[in-house]
Amino acid sequence: MNLLKLSWKYLTHRPLTTGLNVFLLSLGLAIITVLLLVQDQFEKKMTQDAEGIDLVVGAKGSPLQLILSSVYHVDFPTGNIPMEEAIRLSRSRLVKQTIPLALGDNFQGYRIVGTNHDYLTLYQAVFSEGEAWNEPFEVVLGAVVAEKSGFKVGDSFSGSHGISEGSHDHDEHAFRVVGILEPKGNVLDRLVLTSIESVWFTHDESETKDESSENESDHHEKFHQEVAKTGFPESDQEREVTSLLVQYRSPMAAVQLPRMINSNTSMQAASPSFEISRLFELLGVGVKILEGLAYVLIIISGLGIFIALYNSLKERRYDLAVLRAIGASRFQLLLLILMEGLALTFLGSILGILLGHVFLAALASQNETGVGAGLEAWIFLPAELWIVIYALGVGLVGSLLPAWSAYRTSIADQLMKK
Amino acid sequence: MLFHTKDLQFAHPGQSDYHFPDIALDAGESLLVLGKSGSGKTTLLNLIAGLLAPKSGTVVLDGVEVNALQGVKADRFRGENIGFVFQKPHLLAPLSVKENLQMARYFSKKKGLGLESLLEELSLTSKANSSVSSLSEGEAQRVSIARALINRPRLILADEPTSSLDDENAHKVIDLLQKQAEKIEAALIIVTHDQRVKDQISNFIQVQPS
């Protein structure tokens, strides 16, 4: 037997009080853990996915929405822009590179993105199977999409209209899988990538379906032409794209280009880094409230620990006196009570951190194509160590007064009370 | 002489002084301290154990002046050399019988009695792993005696050990205390107002308020 064992025995001797305090504390700490993890991963993911994109140009509307839809593929696109205007912009001397995106369809909730091979290069995509698209209706699947759908190279499927699940299907012309990407933990994992032509033709089909006036051979020819690997696809019609991802040629562009686009064209320009920091600012209020709630829970549990120890002390006056009688020093009694408080909070913090991770795992699995997707629940941060230290601090403060009172137990008074 | 006190005096604040008769005991000897309640016999017990500081006088156990020890030294000395038996067993409820004894051993660095043989001697072997709350009153009292003995103390102090027991059990407890004290060559001091004990231990002092 030693003091640690004894304090543990006392804790388990009143399982309900101990359990309640551990639970309260762990709830507070779980919230903090989740906030920590989400904040860390969100910021990382957000920065990672926006790397190499200086500016996003799209239809006028909410700039944040434009960024969310074109960079992170979570919100709805703001609309389309005429390709002609996009091409004109791409020729500007301020622009180093543009990548056009055509959005609008999905496959089982995973977005189908029409783009060119530069998009793959931007994210340094690596193929685990197959290769990039060459013809219309050839697609490359992100790792997660491939895993969830079970598709291999050579399989076909048809997309649905709209960017979320449940709209009508484009079953006139099926997509054929030609490549599958390796998982990288970025936004590509959850995308279906194809050429802009594929997206156009899918929608041409649905519009001209009833007329069936189109020349069959012309049709056939069109569908087997090579698509544009870089830059904009060629077209004899007036075409639209959803947005452009722009890389500046020089720092000067950051000053001039957005203003130029916003005032002189029908398009709008939005900077990912600016919009994301704005988003975090907006979310900040909610995070603050949650944080506050967590701290309230932790303070309550600290109080709970204090009250539990203090009450148990009343019942244990005699026990403490007996311990002194059989040779325990005052300091050992102080340690005994402190250790109870610390053991309680240590348990609470371990449970809280686990709970936080489990909660995040549940959140991530509930939300496969949305914002919560790709959150890694089982990454442990160094900051979590601080949670443990913080909790132990709470335990120490909560048990200080009871421990002091134990320290001052007078054996003579207690033992001789009849 | 294993144990003796000399000119012990004690003053409760605002009360007249207590003067205690001198005590001298050899190893294996027993002594009753008799007196009515309020006579100061509990105070004497506290003085002997070093739990209270006397106004004057000395308590010497095994050549060590008990009331000169302070702090951790006093605690250690108490744990190793004085065994307490209280009116009620006062075992630590979260612990088993065995753990209660091990706890007493933890605070002493001295090699004490064998735990198993002690339990057997007090017919507690079958209860070694039982929860303390499952013991009968007699068993619990025996465990508390075992706890007092485990560190092989030189002095056993018993405070009203029989007052809540019937004649038969009271007799047994005193008998047990005496035998064990003799066996480990400790002095035994029993503070009581229970006249039944006088039949077993003839050596006594009377404490009276002066």
Side-chain angles (χ1 to χ4, degrees):
Chain A
M1 288 302 293
N2 55 39
L3 282 183
L4 192 64
K5 247 182 169 171
L6 184 63
S7 63
W8 178 247
K9 291 272 180 183
Y10 271 112
L11 281 179
T12 50
H13 192 58
R14 35 192 164 90
L16 287 183
T17 322
T18 305
L20 179 69
N21 283 318
V22 166
F23 186 64
L24 264 180
L25 182 67
S26 66
L27 270 188
L29 295 176
I31 293 179
I32 292 192
T33 308
V34 168
L35 287 180
L36 262 176
L37 287 171
V38 168
Q39 216 163 353
D40 175 77
Q41 296 191 20
F42 244 49
E43 270 175 39
K44 260 192 209 149
K45 206 163 125 61
M46 288 275 182
T47 338
Q48 178 196 347
D49 286 347
E51 208 161 292
I53 305 172
D54 294 326
L55 199 68
V56 179
V57 178
K60 284 211 189 294
S62 149
L64 179 58
Q65 192 185 345
L66 179 63
I67 298 296
L68 288 178
S69 63
S70 293
V71 179
Y72 304 107
H73 300 278
V74 283
D75 206 350
F76 292 87
T78 46
N80 287 337
I81 52 175
M83 194 169 76
E84 238 173 89
E85 226 175 327
I87 290 172
R88 208 177 309 134
L89 174 71
S90 70
R91 292 189 183 133
S92 158
R93 62 187 164 77
L94 295 168
V95 171
K96 184 174 161 201
Q97 188 194 28
T98 58
I99 303 171
L101 297 181
L103 309 173
D105 286 344
N106 80 91
F107 167 67
Q108 290 177 3
Y110 296 108
R111 296 188 179 197
I112 299 174
V113 178
T115 182
N116 58 33
H117 292 188
D118 294 340
Y119 193 62
L120 296 171
T121 320
L122 177 69
Y123 287 107
Q124 289 149 6
V126 180
F127 284 87
S128 68
E129 223 184 304
E131 49 171 18
W133 59 89
N134 278 312
E135 289 181 11
F137 296 105
E138 291 184 337
V139 299
V140 167
L141 301 184
V144 172
V145 185
E147 193 200 309
K148 286 276 144 81
S149 63
F151 286 147
K152 301 259 172 309
V153 170
D155 288 347
S156 308
F157 64 90
S158 39
S160 337
H161 189 63
I163 54 166
S164 49
E165 235 176 324
S167 316
H168 73 265
D169 285 356
H170 290 300
D171 36 18
E172 299 80 9
H173 208 295
F175 291 111
R176 210 174 66 254
V177 181
V178 294
I180 289 168
L181 297 179
E182 276 196 5
K184 277 247 174 145
N186 59 21
V187 68
L188 288 198
D189 286 357
R190 285 155 204 286
L191 294 180
V192 176
L193 300 171
T194 184
S195 56
I196 291 182
E197 288 90 331
S198 310
V199 177
W200 284 347
F201 297 159
T202 313
H203 292 95
D204 291 348
E205 291 255 321
S206 40
E207 278 154 28
T208 58
K209 193 166 72 174
D210 301 328
E211 298 163 23
S212 64
S213 58
E214 221 167 325
N215 185 323
E216 272 296 318
S217 67
D218 176 39
H219 198 139
H220 190 82
E221 195 177 298
K222 187 171 88 178
F223 283 4
H224 290 281
Q225 262 174 0
E226 267 205 12
V227 298
K229 308 271 171 53
T230 183
F232 291 86
E234 281 173 25
S235 176
D236 44 6
Q237 300 170 47
E238 266 190 28
R239 289 293 193 180
E240 290 181 322
V241 293
T242 308
S243 55
L244 281 182
L245 308 181
V246 176
Q247 260 178 344
Y248 296 144
R249 186 174 294 281
S250 68
M252 264 309 277
V255 185
Q256 295 179 355
L257 201 58
R259 208 177 46 201
M260 198 193 88
I261 293 169
N262 286 332
S263 53
N264 297 344
T265 67
S266 64
M267 307 180 288
Q268 72 159 335
S271 143
S273 59
F274 179 79
E275 293 307 323
I276 287 321
S277 57
R278 208 167 65 94
L279 177 67
F280 282 138
E281 238 169 70
L282 290 173
L283 289 177
V285 182
V287 171
K288 280 265 149 50
I289 290 173
L290 266 180
E291 244 170 35
L293 182 70
Y295 285 115
V296 167
L297 277 174
I298 290 168
I299 290 169
I300 290 175
S301 71
L303 266 177
I305 289 165
F306 167 73
I307 292 168
L309 286 179
Y310 212 81
N311 278 342
S312 85
L313 221 57
K314 273 189 211 152
E315 300 155 16
R316 277 158 62 183
R317 286 260 163 243
Y318 226 111
D319 283 20
L320 292 173
V322 165
L323 283 172
R324 293 286 324 266
I326 61 177
S329 67
R330 286 169 180 280
F331 186 67
Q332 280 173 314
L333 295 195
L334 181 101
L335 269 184
L336 177 70
I337 305 296
L338 281 187
M339 274 198 274
E340 271 180 52
L342 291 178
L344 208 75
T345 41
F346 183 70
L347 272 185
S349 61
I350 297 301
L351 189 69
I353 287 173
L354 275 180
L355 223 73
H357 283 275
V358 167
F359 181 72
L360 199 65
L363 197 76
S365 72
Q366 283 292 306
N367 196 340
E368 278 189 2
T369 53
V371 196
L375 283 177
E376 259 304 328
W378 300 106
I379 287 175
F380 289 84
L381 301 173
E384 287 173 59
L385 203 65
W386 282 107
I387 294 185
V388 177
I389 293 170
Y390 180 73
L392 290 181
V394 170
L396 193 68
V397 170
S399 49
L400 220 49
L401 203 60
W404 177 245
S405 145
Y407 181 85
R408 297 184 19 152
T409 303
S410 156
I411 328 173
D413 290 354
Q414 283 302 324
L415 286 186
M416 307 312 164
K417 253 185 223 161
K418 293 291 148 56
Chain B
M1 190 74 50
L2 176 65
F3 173 79
H4 66 90
T5 67
K6 199 161 175 277
D7 301 332
L8 268 186
Q9 285 189 35
F10 183 77
H12 277 297
Q15 288 177 29
S16 57
D17 288 5
Y18 287 97
H19 295 266
F20 295 106
D22 290 353
I23 301 171
L25 287 172
D26 269 325
E29 268 191 302
S30 321
L31 173 77
L32 282 186
V33 177
L34 295 172
K36 298 195 195 73
S37 54
S39 61
K41 58 186 194 298
T42 296
T43 305
L44 176 60
L45 197 80
N46 278 326
L47 290 172
I48 291 172
L51 300 178
L52 288 176
K55 189 182 170 198
S56 65
T58 52
V59 179
V60 176
L61 173 60
D62 207 10
V64 177
E65 199 175 320
V66 177
N67 48 349
L69 293 172
Q70 283 196 331
V72 181
K73 263 190 192 159
D75 295 326
R76 169 74 68 76
F77 183 83
R78 185 170 62 245
E80 288 176 353
N81 295 302
I82 302 176
F84 288 89
V85 178
F86 309 111
Q87 180 180 0
K88 288 190 181 129
H90 290 302
L91 303 171
L92 305 180
L95 305 183
S96 71
V97 169
K98 212 169 168 178
E99 287 165 339
N100 260 282
L101 301 185
Q102 284 168 338
M103 207 63 232
R105 177 162 283 174
Y106 169 75
F107 292 113
S108 138
K109 298 283 174 282
K110 202 166 118 184
K111 192 177 182 307
L113 300 175
L115 206 153
E116 306 295 336
S117 60
L118 182 61
L119 283 174
E120 198 178 327
E121 206 153 334
L122 300 188
S123 9
L124 288 165
T125 307
S126 62
K127 297 282 176 185
N129 293 314
S130 307
S131 150
V132 172
S133 55
S134 71
L135 300 177
S136 73
E137 207 169 332
E139 284 165 342
Q141 189 63 289
R142 288 211 299 282
V143 175
S144 80
I145 291 171
R147 183 176 60 193
L149 296 171
I150 186 99
N151 289 331
R152 198 190 272 275
R154 304 314 318 276
L155 173 67
I156 298 169
L157 290 176
D159 184 23
E160 307 272 14
T162 56
S163 65
S164 59
L165 300 176
D166 58 32
D167 289 357
E168 196 191 332
N169 274 313
H171 189 274
K172 274 188 191 164
V173 162
I174 298 301
D175 193 45
L176 187 63
L177 278 171
Q178 253 189 314
K179 278 195 179 134
Q180 291 296 330
E182 270 170 41
K183 196 173 164 199
I184 63 170
E185 298 181 323
L188 170 65
I189 297 178
I190 299 174
V191 172
T192 188
H193 67 272
D194 189 348
Q195 298 296 327
R196 295 176 296 182
V197 183
K198 269 165 84 178
D199 302 338
Q200 284 167 280
I201 299 173
S202 49
N203 184 18
F204 72 91
I205 58 167
Q206 193 88 30
V207 180
Q208 279 158 344
S210 48

